[in-house]
Structures are given as structure tokens and as C-alpha cells.
Amino acid sequence: MQVALTPVFARSLSPSLGLVALAVSAYSIANLGGNLFSGLVVDRFNKVKVLVAGILVGALAIGLCSTVTGIGPLVALLMLNGLAFSVVTPAAYALLSLHLSDEQRGKGMAQSGVTIGLSAMIGPPVAGGLADVLGHAGAYGAIGGFLALLGLVLAVGLRKAGTAEAEDDVGLKDLVALLGDRRLFIAYLGAFLLMYMNGGLVFALPPHVKALGLKGAMTGALFSTFAVMAIAVFVSPLGTLSRRLGAPRTMALGAILLGVGCGLLSVFDRLPLMIAAMAVYGMGFGLVFPASLAALVAATPDGKRGSAFGVFYAVFSLGSVAGPFALSRAAALGLSPFLLAPLLPAIAALGLWWWGTRRVQPATA
């Protein structure tokens, strides 16, 4: 929801494009740093309490954005929101993993991906509608109120889930061990790959659409196609493909589709064909995301999953920064971003398939 609000609101508070860019990036910057250590908090303390506390602090920060009159306070509050929500996602996924058996893991993680796809589709237009009715400041207030209500509902609804949960004594040495665990490398690779490609598309697709003479709204339609296709894979039998093929080989197939979908955008100049290319890309995303999560859960003991998910989403954020940076450099050198971007998934696919075939146990999820 913030994606639709922050750029416009920040621009109304400051003429400096640099400060506006800082405001737009503030959440991600704080979230990236927080994710690295948020998992330690999730594993050391009650996961339900951490989840609710993160949402309530984030609600306060977002609600207070409605009162600011300068860009500095807005940046500070958005960074506080990013820091607060750095514990929310690891806590949510750690709780989810505790309630999934080995047989349910692939399906459960695929279903969780549906919520992410829906949020990407629903959040921006809803926030835009709120801004039209209430103004941007009022929209921040409404979102803060909604998050506060959500936190209270979860505090009541997950009360029983939290009482039976053990708290674990984890520290920095455990975090370092997770960063160096080769079994978790494929999960982290999947996270980086997904957001590297997504960040690259966010950078390259809008100007490409404009250069073809298409309306700007078509960019939204193309991203919606990707999201809808990813959701379709999540809820179909393909969402549990990693249980049969193993996570590495499922991710390899998904990486190939990511690369093919992106590469086709460089040769397709008609909207129906571009929609087809984004559908292929969405299928790849739908395979890689749940397989990455399932691989992470399979390789991590219960007491350290919060930390592992924290690292996973830190790598997620790192990929979203690296993608636009790498492809912007390619564009500056006169290279097509849509032809350069598939190189990484192609290399990753080869490595993942080789890794999957050499494993003694072919199914990791």
C-alpha cells in the first residue's frame, strides 16, 4: 500500500528528488538491515508476541505519517515501520512452519505465496482509492488504524498458538552458522533470484512500454498478469512440485521460465505477446518461491527457523536492490536489460539442476 502513497506524499513535502528517493527507499533500507537480526528476536522470544508487537509498532509509525509536515520526520517514521515489520514476516513464516507436517510443507508454503500475490495486486489500488477520498495524509492514518486492528485480532486469534510455543536460546553464532550453511544456500539463491528479476523488471518494463507507444496503464496490466499466473501456480498441483522433483530441480525449472519470460520481452512488441511473456515469467515465480521456502524449512531445525527466515528476507531485499542497479548499468552501456537479465537465472538453473541430481534424497520438500 505504501508503494502508491510514499512517492507522491514525499514529493509534496520536499522539492529535493534525492530526499524523495530516500523516503521511497526508507522502508526497504530499514527492513533489509532489520531482517538480518530479526530472526534472532523471533527465535528467542514468543513468536506470536513478536508478530503482534511488530504489527502494532508498524501501525503506530504509519499512523503518525499522517501528522508530519516535513520530509525528515516522514523518512524516520518509514524507517521505523520497516524496522518493525522486519520481525513480522520471519515470525509469521516460523509460526506457519511449526504447524506444517513434512507432507504439508510444499502445499502450505505455496498457499502462503497466494497472500503475497494478492497483496501486490490489491494493496496499491486500495491505497490509491484511499488517497483520492481521504488525501495522502488521511490514507496513512487509515492504514495505521487497519494495522492496529489487525494486530489486536491476531493477539486474540493466535493466543492459544503462542502459549504452547517454546522459546529458544539463540545468538549471533547461530546466525553466522545459518549464513554459512550450504544446505540453505539454494533457498537464499532462490530469494535473491526472484527479487533480482523482479527489481529488474520494475526498472526496465515501464520505459520499455512507453517506448513502444503503449499507455502507462499497460505496465500495471503486465505486472498483474505475472501476479495472477504466479497465484495460479501456487494453488495448482505445480505448487507442490518440489515434493516430487526436489526443491533444487523445481527451482531450476522455475529459473528457466523466469529467464525465458524476461527474454521474450526483448523481442515481443505487441501487447498480447508481452502478456504471454509475463505469464511465462509468472509461472517461473510460482515454482521458485514455494520451493525456496520449503527447502529452507527442510534444512532448518524448529528453533532456528525465525533466524533463517530473517536471512531469507534480507537476501530478498538485497536482490530487489541489486536487480535495478545491475540492469541500469547494462542500459547505460547500451545493452538490453531484457537480454542481460536472463543470464543469472540460466546460470542458476544449471547449478540447481546439478545440485538436485547429486543429492542422495531427491525430494527436499
Short mmCIF file of all heavy atoms in Angstrom, two decimals, residues 205-268:
data_model
loop_
_atom_site.label_atom_id
_atom_site.label_comp_id
_atom_site.label_asym_id
_atom_site.label_seq_id
_atom_site.Cartn_x
_atom_site.Cartn_y
_atom_site.Cartn_z
N LEU A 205 10.74 -2.35 -17.31
CA LEU A 205 9.50 -2.53 -18.05
C LEU A 205 8.74 -1.23 -18.33
O LEU A 205 8.28 -1.02 -19.47
CB LEU A 205 8.60 -3.53 -17.32
CG LEU A 205 7.37 -4.03 -18.10
CD1 LEU A 205 7.79 -4.66 -19.42
CD2 LEU A 205 6.57 -5.02 -17.25
N PRO A 206 8.58 -0.31 -17.36
CA PRO A 206 7.81 0.91 -17.66
C PRO A 206 8.37 1.72 -18.82
O PRO A 206 7.61 2.10 -19.72
CB PRO A 206 7.88 1.69 -16.34
CG PRO A 206 8.02 0.63 -15.29
CD PRO A 206 8.91 -0.41 -15.92
N PRO A 207 9.69 1.98 -18.88
CA PRO A 207 10.18 2.73 -20.04
C PRO A 207 10.07 1.94 -21.34
O PRO A 207 9.89 2.52 -22.42
CB PRO A 207 11.65 3.02 -19.70
CG PRO A 207 12.01 2.06 -18.63
CD PRO A 207 10.76 1.80 -17.87
N HIS A 208 10.16 0.61 -21.26
CA HIS A 208 10.00 -0.22 -22.46
C HIS A 208 8.59 -0.10 -23.01
O HIS A 208 8.38 0.04 -24.22
CB HIS A 208 10.32 -1.67 -22.10
CG HIS A 208 10.23 -2.61 -23.27
ND1 HIS A 208 11.05 -2.53 -24.37
CD2 HIS A 208 9.39 -3.67 -23.50
CE1 HIS A 208 10.75 -3.49 -25.22
NE2 HIS A 208 9.74 -4.19 -24.73
N VAL A 209 7.60 -0.14 -22.11
CA VAL A 209 6.20 0.01 -22.52
C VAL A 209 5.98 1.38 -23.15
O VAL A 209 5.31 1.51 -24.19
CB VAL A 209 5.27 -0.19 -21.30
CG1 VAL A 209 3.84 0.22 -21.63
CG2 VAL A 209 5.31 -1.65 -20.84
N LYS A 210 6.56 2.41 -22.54
CA LYS A 210 6.41 3.76 -23.07
C LYS A 210 7.06 3.89 -24.44
O LYS A 210 6.51 4.53 -25.35
CB LYS A 210 7.03 4.76 -22.09
CG LYS A 210 6.86 6.22 -22.51
CD LYS A 210 7.44 7.15 -21.47
CE LYS A 210 7.25 8.61 -21.89
NZ LYS A 210 7.82 9.55 -20.87
N ALA A 211 8.23 3.28 -24.61
CA ALA A 211 8.94 3.35 -25.90
C ALA A 211 8.16 2.68 -27.02
O ALA A 211 8.30 3.06 -28.19
CB ALA A 211 10.32 2.71 -25.77
N LEU A 212 7.35 1.70 -26.68
CA LEU A 212 6.52 1.02 -27.68
C LEU A 212 5.26 1.79 -28.02
O LEU A 212 4.47 1.37 -28.87
CB LEU A 212 6.15 -0.38 -27.19
CG LEU A 212 7.31 -1.38 -27.07
CD1 LEU A 212 6.82 -2.68 -26.45
CD2 LEU A 212 7.94 -1.64 -28.44
N GLY A 213 5.03 2.92 -27.35
CA GLY A 213 3.86 3.73 -27.61
C GLY A 213 2.61 3.24 -26.92
O GLY A 213 1.50 3.69 -27.26
N LEU A 214 2.76 2.36 -25.93
CA LEU A 214 1.61 1.86 -25.19
C LEU A 214 1.31 2.77 -24.01
O LEU A 214 2.18 3.49 -23.53
CB LEU A 214 1.88 0.44 -24.69
CG LEU A 214 2.17 -0.61 -25.78
CD1 LEU A 214 2.60 -1.92 -25.15
CD2 LEU A 214 0.93 -0.81 -26.65
N LYS A 215 0.08 2.72 -23.53
CA LYS A 215 -0.31 3.54 -22.39
C LYS A 215 0.38 3.03 -21.12
O LYS A 215 0.65 1.84 -20.97
CB LYS A 215 -1.82 3.50 -22.21
CG LYS A 215 -2.58 4.17 -23.35
CD LYS A 215 -4.08 4.15 -23.08
CE LYS A 215 -4.84 4.86 -24.20
NZ LYS A 215 -6.32 4.83 -23.96
N GLY A 216 0.62 3.96 -20.20
CA GLY A 216 1.30 3.60 -18.96
C GLY A 216 0.53 2.57 -18.15
O GLY A 216 1.12 1.77 -17.42
N ALA A 217 -0.79 2.57 -18.28
CA ALA A 217 -1.60 1.60 -17.53
C ALA A 217 -1.29 0.17 -17.94
O ALA A 217 -1.54 -0.78 -17.18
CB ALA A 217 -3.08 1.89 -17.74
N MET A 218 -0.73 -0.01 -19.13
CA MET A 218 -0.41 -1.35 -19.59
C MET A 218 0.70 -1.99 -18.76
O MET A 218 0.79 -3.21 -18.66
CB MET A 218 0.00 -1.32 -21.06
CG MET A 218 -1.12 -0.94 -22.03
SD MET A 218 -2.54 -2.09 -21.94
CE MET A 218 -3.69 -1.15 -20.91
N THR A 219 1.54 -1.14 -18.17
CA THR A 219 2.57 -1.69 -17.27
C THR A 219 1.92 -2.41 -16.10
O THR A 219 2.32 -3.52 -15.72
CB THR A 219 3.48 -0.56 -16.75
OG1 THR A 219 4.12 0.08 -17.85
CG2 THR A 219 4.54 -1.12 -15.80
N GLY A 220 0.89 -1.78 -15.52
CA GLY A 220 0.16 -2.42 -14.45
C GLY A 220 -0.50 -3.71 -14.89
O GLY A 220 -0.52 -4.70 -14.14
N ALA A 221 -1.05 -3.73 -16.10
CA ALA A 221 -1.68 -4.94 -16.61
C ALA A 221 -0.68 -6.07 -16.76
O ALA A 221 -0.98 -7.24 -16.48
CB ALA A 221 -2.35 -4.64 -17.95
N LEU A 222 0.54 -5.73 -17.20
CA LEU A 222 1.57 -6.76 -17.37
C LEU A 222 2.00 -7.33 -16.02
O LEU A 222 2.16 -8.55 -15.87
CB LEU A 222 2.77 -6.17 -18.11
CG LEU A 222 2.53 -5.83 -19.58
CD1 LEU A 222 3.69 -5.02 -20.15
CD2 LEU A 222 2.33 -7.10 -20.40
N PHE A 223 2.19 -6.47 -15.03
CA PHE A 223 2.56 -6.96 -13.70
C PHE A 223 1.42 -7.76 -13.07
O PHE A 223 1.65 -8.72 -12.35
CB PHE A 223 2.98 -5.81 -12.80
CG PHE A 223 4.41 -5.40 -12.98
CD1 PHE A 223 4.74 -4.19 -13.59
CD2 PHE A 223 5.45 -6.22 -12.56
CE1 PHE A 223 6.06 -3.81 -13.76
CE2 PHE A 223 6.77 -5.85 -12.73
CZ PHE A 223 7.08 -4.65 -13.34
N SER A 224 0.18 -7.36 -13.35
CA SER A 224 -0.96 -8.12 -12.84
C SER A 224 -1.01 -9.52 -13.46
O SER A 224 -1.35 -10.49 -12.79
CB SER A 224 -2.27 -7.38 -13.13
OG SER A 224 -2.34 -6.17 -12.40
N THR A 225 -0.64 -9.61 -14.73
CA THR A 225 -0.60 -10.92 -15.40
C THR A 225 0.39 -11.84 -14.71
O THR A 225 0.11 -13.02 -14.45
CB THR A 225 -0.20 -10.75 -16.87
OG1 THR A 225 -1.15 -9.93 -17.54
CG2 THR A 225 -0.11 -12.11 -17.57
N PHE A 226 1.55 -11.29 -14.40
CA PHE A 226 2.57 -12.07 -13.69
C PHE A 226 2.04 -12.54 -12.33
O PHE A 226 2.19 -13.70 -11.95
CB PHE A 226 3.84 -11.23 -13.56
CG PHE A 226 4.53 -11.28 -12.23
CD1 PHE A 226 5.09 -12.46 -11.75
CD2 PHE A 226 4.61 -10.13 -11.45
CE1 PHE A 226 5.73 -12.48 -10.51
CE2 PHE A 226 5.24 -10.16 -10.22
CZ PHE A 226 5.79 -11.35 -9.76
N ALA A 227 1.38 -11.64 -11.59
CA ALA A 227 0.88 -11.98 -10.27
C ALA A 227 -0.21 -13.04 -10.34
O ALA A 227 -0.23 -14.00 -9.56
CB ALA A 227 0.36 -10.73 -9.56
N VAL A 228 -1.13 -12.88 -11.29
CA VAL A 228 -2.23 -13.85 -11.43
C VAL A 228 -1.68 -15.23 -11.79
O VAL A 228 -2.12 -16.26 -11.25
CB VAL A 228 -3.23 -13.37 -12.50
CG1 VAL A 228 -4.21 -14.48 -12.87
CG2 VAL A 228 -3.99 -12.15 -12.00
N MET A 229 -0.72 -15.29 -12.70
CA MET A 229 -0.15 -16.58 -13.10
C MET A 229 0.60 -17.22 -11.93
O MET A 229 0.52 -18.45 -11.73
CB MET A 229 0.77 -16.40 -14.30
CG MET A 229 1.35 -17.72 -14.82
SD MET A 229 0.09 -18.95 -15.28
CE MET A 229 -0.65 -18.14 -16.71
N ALA A 230 1.33 -16.41 -11.17
CA ALA A 230 2.04 -16.96 -10.02
C ALA A 230 1.05 -17.55 -9.02
O ALA A 230 1.27 -18.65 -8.47
CB ALA A 230 2.88 -15.87 -9.36
N ILE A 231 -0.05 -16.85 -8.76
CA ILE A 231 -1.07 -17.36 -7.84
C ILE A 231 -1.66 -18.66 -8.36
O ILE A 231 -1.90 -19.61 -7.61
CB ILE A 231 -2.17 -16.30 -7.63
CG1 ILE A 231 -1.60 -15.12 -6.83
CG2 ILE A 231 -3.37 -16.89 -6.91
CD1 ILE A 231 -2.56 -13.96 -6.72
N ALA A 232 -1.91 -18.71 -9.69
CA ALA A 232 -2.47 -19.93 -10.28
C ALA A 232 -1.54 -21.13 -10.06
O ALA A 232 -1.99 -22.24 -9.78
CB ALA A 232 -2.71 -19.71 -11.77
N VAL A 233 -0.23 -20.90 -10.16
CA VAL A 233 0.73 -21.98 -9.92
C VAL A 233 0.73 -22.36 -8.44
O VAL A 233 0.77 -23.53 -8.08
CB VAL A 233 2.14 -21.56 -10.37
CG1 VAL A 233 3.17 -22.61 -9.97
CG2 VAL A 233 2.17 -21.37 -11.88
N PHE A 234 0.66 -21.35 -7.56
CA PHE A 234 0.66 -21.62 -6.12
C PHE A 234 -0.46 -22.57 -5.72
O PHE A 234 -0.26 -23.47 -4.90
CB PHE A 234 0.50 -20.31 -5.33
CG PHE A 234 1.68 -19.39 -5.39
CD1 PHE A 234 1.50 -18.02 -5.27
CD2 PHE A 234 2.96 -19.87 -5.55
CE1 PHE A 234 2.58 -17.15 -5.31
CE2 PHE A 234 4.06 -19.02 -5.61
CZ PHE A 234 3.86 -17.66 -5.48
N VAL A 235 -1.66 -22.37 -6.28
CA VAL A 235 -2.82 -23.15 -5.84
C VAL A 235 -3.02 -24.42 -6.65
O VAL A 235 -3.88 -25.23 -6.32
CB VAL A 235 -4.11 -22.29 -5.90
CG1 VAL A 235 -3.99 -21.08 -5.00
CG2 VAL A 235 -4.42 -21.86 -7.33
N SER A 236 -2.23 -24.60 -7.72
CA SER A 236 -2.36 -25.80 -8.55
C SER A 236 -1.41 -26.88 -8.05
O SER A 236 -0.57 -26.64 -7.17
CB SER A 236 -2.02 -25.45 -10.01
OG SER A 236 -0.61 -25.27 -10.16
N PRO A 237 -1.51 -28.10 -8.59
CA PRO A 237 -0.55 -29.15 -8.22
C PRO A 237 0.91 -28.77 -8.47
O PRO A 237 1.81 -29.32 -7.84
CB PRO A 237 -0.97 -30.33 -9.11
CG PRO A 237 -2.44 -30.12 -9.35
CD PRO A 237 -2.60 -28.63 -9.46
N LEU A 238 1.15 -27.81 -9.37
CA LEU A 238 2.52 -27.37 -9.62
C LEU A 238 3.14 -26.73 -8.38
O LEU A 238 4.36 -26.72 -8.22
CB LEU A 238 2.56 -26.36 -10.77
CG LEU A 238 2.30 -26.92 -12.18
CD1 LEU A 238 2.22 -25.78 -13.18
CD2 LEU A 238 3.38 -27.91 -12.57
N GLY A 239 2.28 -26.20 -7.49
CA GLY A 239 2.79 -25.57 -6.28
C GLY A 239 3.49 -26.54 -5.35
O GLY A 239 4.28 -26.13 -4.49
N THR A 240 3.21 -27.84 -5.50
CA THR A 240 3.85 -28.87 -4.67
C THR A 240 4.81 -29.73 -5.49
O THR A 240 5.15 -30.84 -5.08
CB THR A 240 2.79 -29.76 -4.01
OG1 THR A 240 1.97 -30.37 -5.03
CG2 THR A 240 1.88 -28.95 -3.10
N LEU A 241 5.24 -29.22 -6.63
CA LEU A 241 6.13 -29.99 -7.49
C LEU A 241 7.44 -30.35 -6.80
O LEU A 241 8.05 -31.39 -7.06
CB LEU A 241 6.42 -29.19 -8.76
CG LEU A 241 7.20 -29.91 -9.88
CD1 LEU A 241 6.41 -31.11 -10.39
CD2 LEU A 241 7.49 -28.94 -11.02
N SER A 242 7.88 -29.49 -5.86
CA SER A 242 9.15 -29.74 -5.18
C SER A 242 9.12 -31.01 -4.35
O SER A 242 10.16 -31.61 -4.07
CB SER A 242 9.52 -28.55 -4.28
OG SER A 242 8.55 -28.36 -3.27
N ARG A 243 7.93 -31.43 -3.95
CA ARG A 243 7.82 -32.67 -3.18
C ARG A 243 8.17 -33.89 -4.04
O ARG A 243 8.66 -34.90 -3.53
CB ARG A 243 6.40 -32.80 -2.62
CG ARG A 243 6.22 -33.97 -1.67
CD ARG A 243 4.81 -34.01 -1.14
NE ARG A 243 4.57 -35.24 -0.41
CZ ARG A 243 3.38 -35.63 0.02
NH1 ARG A 243 2.32 -34.87 -0.20
NH2 ARG A 243 3.24 -36.76 0.68
N ARG A 244 7.92 -33.79 -5.34
CA ARG A 244 8.20 -34.92 -6.23
C ARG A 244 9.58 -34.80 -6.89
O ARG A 244 10.30 -35.78 -7.01
CB ARG A 244 7.11 -35.00 -7.31
CG ARG A 244 5.72 -35.23 -6.74
CD ARG A 244 4.69 -35.48 -7.82
NE ARG A 244 4.47 -34.31 -8.66
CZ ARG A 244 3.64 -33.31 -8.35
NH1 ARG A 244 2.98 -33.34 -7.20
NH2 ARG A 244 3.46 -32.29 -9.16
N LEU A 245 9.94 -33.61 -7.33
CA LEU A 245 11.21 -33.43 -8.03
C LEU A 245 12.35 -33.07 -7.10
O LEU A 245 13.52 -33.25 -7.45
CB LEU A 245 11.08 -32.31 -9.08
CG LEU A 245 10.41 -32.64 -10.41
CD1 LEU A 245 10.48 -31.43 -11.31
CD2 LEU A 245 11.03 -33.83 -11.07
N GLY A 246 12.02 -32.56 -5.93
CA GLY A 246 13.03 -31.98 -5.05
C GLY A 246 13.09 -30.48 -5.28
O GLY A 246 12.84 -30.00 -6.40
N ALA A 247 13.39 -29.74 -4.24
CA ALA A 247 13.42 -28.28 -4.35
C ALA A 247 14.43 -27.77 -5.38
O ALA A 247 14.10 -26.88 -6.17
CB ALA A 247 13.69 -27.66 -2.98
N PRO A 248 15.68 -28.28 -5.44
CA PRO A 248 16.64 -27.71 -6.38
C PRO A 248 16.19 -27.81 -7.84
O PRO A 248 16.29 -26.84 -8.60
CB PRO A 248 17.91 -28.54 -6.14
CG PRO A 248 17.77 -29.04 -4.74
CD PRO A 248 16.32 -29.29 -4.56
N ARG A 249 15.68 -28.99 -8.24
CA ARG A 249 15.29 -29.14 -9.64
C ARG A 249 14.02 -28.36 -9.96
O ARG A 249 13.86 -27.85 -11.08
CB ARG A 249 15.13 -30.62 -9.97
CG ARG A 249 16.48 -31.33 -10.09
CD ARG A 249 16.36 -32.75 -10.62
NE ARG A 249 15.83 -33.64 -9.60
CZ ARG A 249 15.66 -34.95 -9.78
NH1 ARG A 249 15.98 -35.50 -10.94
NH2 ARG A 249 15.17 -35.70 -8.81
N THR A 250 13.11 -28.25 -8.99
CA THR A 250 11.92 -27.41 -9.20
C THR A 250 12.33 -25.96 -9.38
O THR A 250 11.81 -25.26 -10.26
CB THR A 250 10.96 -27.54 -8.01
OG1 THR A 250 10.59 -28.91 -7.85
CG2 THR A 250 9.72 -26.70 -8.22
N MET A 251 13.28 -25.50 -8.56
CA MET A 251 13.76 -24.14 -8.70
C MET A 251 14.48 -23.94 -10.02
O MET A 251 14.39 -22.86 -10.62
CB MET A 251 14.68 -23.80 -7.53
CG MET A 251 13.95 -23.72 -6.19
SD MET A 251 15.10 -23.66 -4.78
CE MET A 251 15.95 -22.12 -5.11
N ALA A 252 15.19 -24.96 -10.50
CA ALA A 252 15.88 -24.86 -11.78
C ALA A 252 14.87 -24.65 -12.91
O ALA A 252 15.07 -23.80 -13.80
CB ALA A 252 16.71 -26.11 -12.03
N LEU A 253 13.77 -25.41 -12.90
CA LEU A 253 12.74 -25.25 -13.92
C LEU A 253 12.12 -23.85 -13.84
O LEU A 253 11.89 -23.20 -14.86
CB LEU A 253 11.65 -26.31 -13.74
CG LEU A 253 12.06 -27.76 -14.04
CD1 LEU A 253 10.90 -28.71 -13.72
CD2 LEU A 253 12.47 -27.91 -15.49
N GLY A 254 11.87 -23.40 -12.60
CA GLY A 254 11.33 -22.06 -12.43
C GLY A 254 12.27 -20.98 -12.92
O GLY A 254 11.85 -20.00 -13.54
N ALA A 255 13.57 -21.16 -12.66
CA ALA A 255 14.56 -20.17 -13.11
C ALA A 255 14.60 -20.08 -14.62
O ALA A 255 14.72 -18.99 -15.20
CB ALA A 255 15.94 -20.54 -12.56
N ILE A 256 14.46 -21.23 -15.29
CA ILE A 256 14.43 -21.22 -16.76
C ILE A 256 13.24 -20.42 -17.26
O ILE A 256 13.36 -19.61 -18.20
CB ILE A 256 14.38 -22.67 -17.29
CG1 ILE A 256 15.71 -23.37 -17.01
CG2 ILE A 256 14.07 -22.68 -18.78
CD1 ILE A 256 15.68 -24.85 -17.31
N LEU A 257 12.08 -20.64 -16.64
CA LEU A 257 10.89 -19.90 -17.06
C LEU A 257 11.02 -18.41 -16.78
O LEU A 257 10.57 -17.58 -17.58
CB LEU A 257 9.66 -20.46 -16.34
CG LEU A 257 9.24 -21.88 -16.75
CD1 LEU A 257 8.10 -22.38 -15.88
CD2 LEU A 257 8.83 -21.91 -18.22
N LEU A 258 11.65 -18.05 -15.66
CA LEU A 258 11.90 -16.63 -15.38
C LEU A 258 12.73 -16.01 -16.49
O LEU A 258 12.43 -14.91 -16.99
CB LEU A 258 12.64 -16.48 -14.04
CG LEU A 258 11.86 -16.70 -12.75
CD1 LEU A 258 12.81 -16.68 -11.56
CD2 LEU A 258 10.78 -15.64 -12.56
N GLY A 259 13.81 -16.70 -16.87
CA GLY A 259 14.69 -16.18 -17.90
C GLY A 259 14.02 -16.11 -19.26
O GLY A 259 14.18 -15.12 -19.99
N VAL A 260 13.26 -17.16 -19.62
CA VAL A 260 12.58 -17.17 -20.92
C VAL A 260 11.54 -16.06 -20.99
O VAL A 260 11.45 -15.32 -21.99
CB VAL A 260 11.91 -18.55 -21.15
CG1 VAL A 260 10.98 -18.49 -22.37
CG2 VAL A 260 12.96 -19.62 -21.36
N GLY A 261 10.74 -15.91 -19.92
CA GLY A 261 9.73 -14.86 -19.92
C GLY A 261 10.33 -13.48 -20.07
O GLY A 261 9.83 -12.65 -20.84
N CYS A 262 11.42 -13.22 -19.36
CA CYS A 262 12.09 -11.92 -19.44
C CYS A 262 12.71 -11.72 -20.82
O CYS A 262 12.59 -10.65 -21.42
CB CYS A 262 13.14 -11.83 -18.35
SG CYS A 262 13.94 -10.22 -18.23
N GLY A 263 13.36 -12.76 -21.34
CA GLY A 263 13.99 -12.65 -22.65
C GLY A 263 13.00 -12.39 -23.77
O GLY A 263 13.29 -11.65 -24.72
N LEU A 264 11.80 -12.99 -23.67
CA LEU A 264 10.79 -12.78 -24.71
C LEU A 264 10.33 -11.33 -24.79
O LEU A 264 9.90 -10.86 -25.84
CB LEU A 264 9.59 -13.70 -24.45
CG LEU A 264 9.81 -15.19 -24.71
CD1 LEU A 264 8.58 -15.99 -24.29
CD2 LEU A 264 10.13 -15.45 -26.18
N LEU A 265 10.42 -10.61 -23.67
CA LEU A 265 10.01 -9.21 -23.68
C LEU A 265 10.91 -8.37 -24.60
O LEU A 265 10.50 -7.30 -25.04
CB LEU A 265 10.05 -8.64 -22.26
CG LEU A 265 8.97 -9.15 -21.30
CD1 LEU A 265 9.25 -8.66 -19.89
CD2 LEU A 265 7.58 -8.69 -21.75
N SER A 266 12.11 -8.85 -24.85
CA SER A 266 13.02 -8.09 -25.71
C SER A 266 12.66 -8.22 -27.19
O SER A 266 13.09 -7.39 -28.00
CB SER A 266 14.47 -8.56 -25.49
OG SER A 266 14.64 -9.88 -25.97
N VAL A 267 11.89 -9.26 -27.54
CA VAL A 267 11.55 -9.47 -28.96
C VAL A 267 10.08 -9.26 -29.24
O VAL A 267 9.69 -9.05 -30.39
CB VAL A 267 11.97 -10.89 -29.41
CG1 VAL A 267 13.48 -11.03 -29.37
CG2 VAL A 267 11.32 -11.97 -28.56
N PHE A 268 9.24 -9.30 -28.21
CA PHE A 268 7.81 -9.08 -28.41
C PHE A 268 7.50 -7.59 -28.31
O PHE A 268 7.90 -6.93 -27.35
CB PHE A 268 6.99 -9.84 -27.36
CG PHE A 268 6.98 -11.33 -27.55
CD1 PHE A 268 6.54 -12.16 -26.52
CD2 PHE A 268 7.40 -11.91 -28.73
CE1 PHE A 268 6.52 -13.54 -26.68
CE2 PHE A 268 7.39 -13.29 -28.90
CZ PHE A 268 6.96 -14.10 -27.87
#
